[in-house]
Amino acid sequence: MLGVIAAIVMLIAVVFSVLPKGFKTTHEDIGSGKPVLVFVYDPNLAVSNSQTEQMNTARATLGDDVSFLIARIGTPEGDQFIRKYQARPAELLMFEPAGSLVKRQYALMQSNEIMQWVNY
């Protein structure tokens, strides 16, 4: 019985360890001393899911050296960000460590392109 419980706990731990991390939808990391990539996420566009997958792949390589954020359309935080930076759906915005907007591009960016973009 104890072995079955231990196996279940281990299985749950493995499942949670391979799930992709979510993206923060708040934007206080901009200007915090490290580069920030913000994606304008529109749940009505198929490219949004593909782009977040590519961002997860890039984040796995870059680690905590870069903040990956989402500005989700239709949320107070997302709509405020979109207005402030005049962003469009499915657009990626790159901020340098001090918080200045340095690049923007429409999705879909592959993970290797994101990593090159971040290392400007």
Side-chain angles (χ1 to χ4, degrees):
M1 182 70 166
L2 201 52
V4 172
I5 293 172
I8 291 172
V9 168
M10 286 182 55
L11 178 62
I12 291 171
V14 168
V15 167
F16 278 108
S17 71
V18 296
L19 287 175
K21 273 177 45 178
F23 294 98
K24 287 176 60 176
T25 57
T26 58
H27 306 107
E28 69 271 0
D29 287 357
I30 296 172
S32 67
K34 64 182 175 179
V36 176
L37 180 73
V38 181
F39 175 58
V40 181
Y41 185 90
D42 184 344
N44 298 312
L45 297 176
V47 73
S48 289
N49 287 332
S50 299
Q51 187 60 68
T52 55
E53 290 172 5
Q54 295 301 313
M55 289 169 64
N56 266 326
T57 302
R59 180 170 53 183
T61 301
L62 296 170
D64 292 332
D65 293 337
V66 179
S67 292
F68 289 87
L69 309 176
I70 296 289
R72 187 180 173 107
I73 291 176
T75 64
E77 299 88 0
D79 291 343
Q80 180 182 7
F81 176 89
I82 291 164
R83 276 191 307 277
K84 181 176 181 178
Y85 294 102
Q86 300 176 347
R88 301 274 184 236
E91 190 172 27
L92 293 116
L93 293 89
M94 183 73 212
F95 295 86
E96 52 92 28
S100 297
L101 176 62
V102 291
K103 297 179 187 176
R104 53 174 60 207
Q105 181 176 320
Y106 287 103
L108 179 71
M109 286 184 76
Q110 300 298 319
S111 61
N112 61 339
E113 294 174 295
I114 293 171
M115 289 184 284
Q116 289 174 354
W117 213 40
V118 166
N119 293 321
Y120 56 95

mmCIF file of all heavy atoms in Angstrom, residues 6 26 37 42 48-49 62 88 98 101 109 113 115:
data_model
loop_
_atom_site.group_PDB
_atom_site.id
_atom_site.type_symbol
_atom_site.label_atom_id
_atom_site.label_comp_id
_atom_site.label_asym_id
_atom_site.label_seq_id
_atom_site.Cartn_x
_atom_site.Cartn_y
_atom_site.Cartn_z
ATOM 1 N N ALA A 6 3.503 5.996 -2.771
ATOM 2 C CA ALA A 6 4.762 6.626 -3.172
ATOM 3 C C ALA A 6 4.851 6.735 -4.692
ATOM 4 O O ALA A 6 5.303 7.757 -5.227
ATOM 5 C CB ALA A 6 5.940 5.836 -2.625
ATOM 6 N N THR A 26 1.340 40.559 -15.489
ATOM 7 C CA THR A 26 1.623 41.887 -14.968
ATOM 8 C C THR A 26 2.951 42.330 -15.558
ATOM 9 O O THR A 26 3.748 41.502 -15.998
ATOM 10 C CB THR A 26 1.695 41.881 -13.430
ATOM 11 O OG1 THR A 26 2.697 40.952 -13.017
ATOM 12 C CG2 THR A 26 0.349 41.492 -12.831
ATOM 13 N N LEU A 37 10.622 40.403 -22.633
ATOM 14 C CA LEU A 37 9.901 40.162 -23.868
ATOM 15 C C LEU A 37 8.422 40.055 -23.519
ATOM 16 O O LEU A 37 8.042 39.246 -22.670
ATOM 17 C CB LEU A 37 10.376 38.877 -24.543
ATOM 18 C CG LEU A 37 9.679 38.529 -25.850
ATOM 19 C CD1 LEU A 37 10.143 39.475 -26.959
ATOM 20 C CD2 LEU A 37 9.957 37.102 -26.240
ATOM 21 N N ASP A 42 -3.694 37.204 -27.999
ATOM 22 C CA ASP A 42 -5.101 37.264 -28.383
ATOM 23 C C ASP A 42 -5.615 35.827 -28.455
ATOM 24 O O ASP A 42 -5.214 35.073 -29.342
ATOM 25 C CB ASP A 42 -5.253 37.959 -29.738
ATOM 26 C CG ASP A 42 -6.710 38.136 -30.153
ATOM 27 O OD1 ASP A 42 -7.595 37.475 -29.577
ATOM 28 O OD2 ASP A 42 -6.956 38.950 -31.056
ATOM 29 N N SER A 48 -1.275 32.746 -31.413
ATOM 30 C CA SER A 48 -0.952 33.040 -30.013
ATOM 31 C C SER A 48 -0.454 31.798 -29.281
ATOM 32 O O SER A 48 0.528 31.863 -28.543
ATOM 33 C CB SER A 48 -2.161 33.636 -29.291
ATOM 34 O OG SER A 48 -2.410 34.945 -29.756
ATOM 35 N N ASN A 49 -1.114 30.674 -29.485
ATOM 36 C CA ASN A 49 -0.659 29.437 -28.825
ATOM 37 C C ASN A 49 0.695 28.989 -29.361
ATOM 38 O O ASN A 49 1.566 28.578 -28.592
ATOM 39 C CB ASN A 49 -1.693 28.330 -28.984
ATOM 40 C CG ASN A 49 -2.912 28.565 -28.127
ATOM 41 O OD1 ASN A 49 -2.836 29.204 -27.080
ATOM 42 N ND2 ASN A 49 -4.042 28.076 -28.580
ATOM 43 N N LEU A 62 17.173 30.229 -22.051
ATOM 44 C CA LEU A 62 17.647 31.492 -21.476
ATOM 45 C C LEU A 62 17.489 31.560 -19.963
ATOM 46 O O LEU A 62 18.168 32.349 -19.309
ATOM 47 C CB LEU A 62 16.906 32.666 -22.120
ATOM 48 C CG LEU A 62 17.150 32.844 -23.615
ATOM 49 C CD1 LEU A 62 16.186 33.868 -24.190
ATOM 50 C CD2 LEU A 62 18.588 33.254 -23.867
ATOM 51 N N ARG A 88 -0.241 45.864 -30.996
ATOM 52 C CA ARG A 88 -1.271 45.182 -31.788
ATOM 53 C C ARG A 88 -1.337 43.712 -31.386
ATOM 54 O O ARG A 88 -0.357 43.168 -30.852
ATOM 55 C CB ARG A 88 -0.929 45.276 -33.274
ATOM 56 C CG ARG A 88 -0.815 46.688 -33.783
ATOM 57 C CD ARG A 88 -2.180 47.184 -34.176
ATOM 58 N NE ARG A 88 -2.072 48.510 -34.766
ATOM 59 C CZ ARG A 88 -2.745 49.544 -34.300
ATOM 60 N NH1 ARG A 88 -3.516 49.417 -33.271
ATOM 61 N NH2 ARG A 88 -2.644 50.710 -34.887
ATOM 62 N N ALA A 98 16.826 48.584 -18.733
ATOM 63 C CA ALA A 98 16.385 49.812 -18.070
ATOM 64 C C ALA A 98 14.917 50.132 -18.361
ATOM 65 O O ALA A 98 14.351 51.025 -17.741
ATOM 66 C CB ALA A 98 17.258 50.989 -18.491
ATOM 67 N N LEU A 101 11.687 50.466 -24.726
ATOM 68 C CA LEU A 101 11.251 49.599 -25.815
ATOM 69 C C LEU A 101 12.275 49.699 -26.935
ATOM 70 O O LEU A 101 12.571 50.795 -27.416
ATOM 71 C CB LEU A 101 9.868 50.026 -26.308
ATOM 72 C CG LEU A 101 9.300 49.278 -27.505
ATOM 73 C CD1 LEU A 101 9.111 47.795 -27.195
ATOM 74 C CD2 LEU A 101 7.974 49.901 -27.937
ATOM 75 N N MET A 109 7.520 34.180 -34.160
ATOM 76 C CA MET A 109 8.975 34.120 -34.061
ATOM 77 C C MET A 109 9.352 32.759 -33.493
ATOM 78 O O MET A 109 8.819 32.346 -32.462
ATOM 79 C CB MET A 109 9.505 35.212 -33.135
ATOM 80 C CG MET A 109 9.483 36.596 -33.723
ATOM 81 S SD MET A 109 10.221 37.809 -32.603
ATOM 82 C CE MET A 109 11.963 37.452 -32.805
ATOM 83 N N GLU A 113 15.012 32.515 -33.082
ATOM 84 C CA GLU A 113 14.927 33.934 -33.419
ATOM 85 C C GLU A 113 14.750 34.773 -32.155
ATOM 86 O O GLU A 113 15.344 35.844 -32.025
ATOM 87 C CB GLU A 113 13.751 34.201 -34.354
ATOM 88 C CG GLU A 113 13.874 33.587 -35.724
ATOM 89 C CD GLU A 113 12.621 33.777 -36.536
ATOM 90 O OE1 GLU A 113 11.562 33.229 -36.154
ATOM 91 O OE2 GLU A 113 12.692 34.498 -37.551
ATOM 92 N N MET A 115 15.796 34.009 -29.149
ATOM 93 C CA MET A 115 17.070 34.031 -28.424
ATOM 94 C C MET A 115 18.066 35.004 -29.063
ATOM 95 O O MET A 115 18.761 35.730 -28.359
ATOM 96 C CB MET A 115 17.651 32.620 -28.340
ATOM 97 C CG MET A 115 16.843 31.736 -27.394
ATOM 98 S SD MET A 115 17.539 30.090 -27.142
ATOM 99 C CE MET A 115 17.087 29.300 -28.657
#
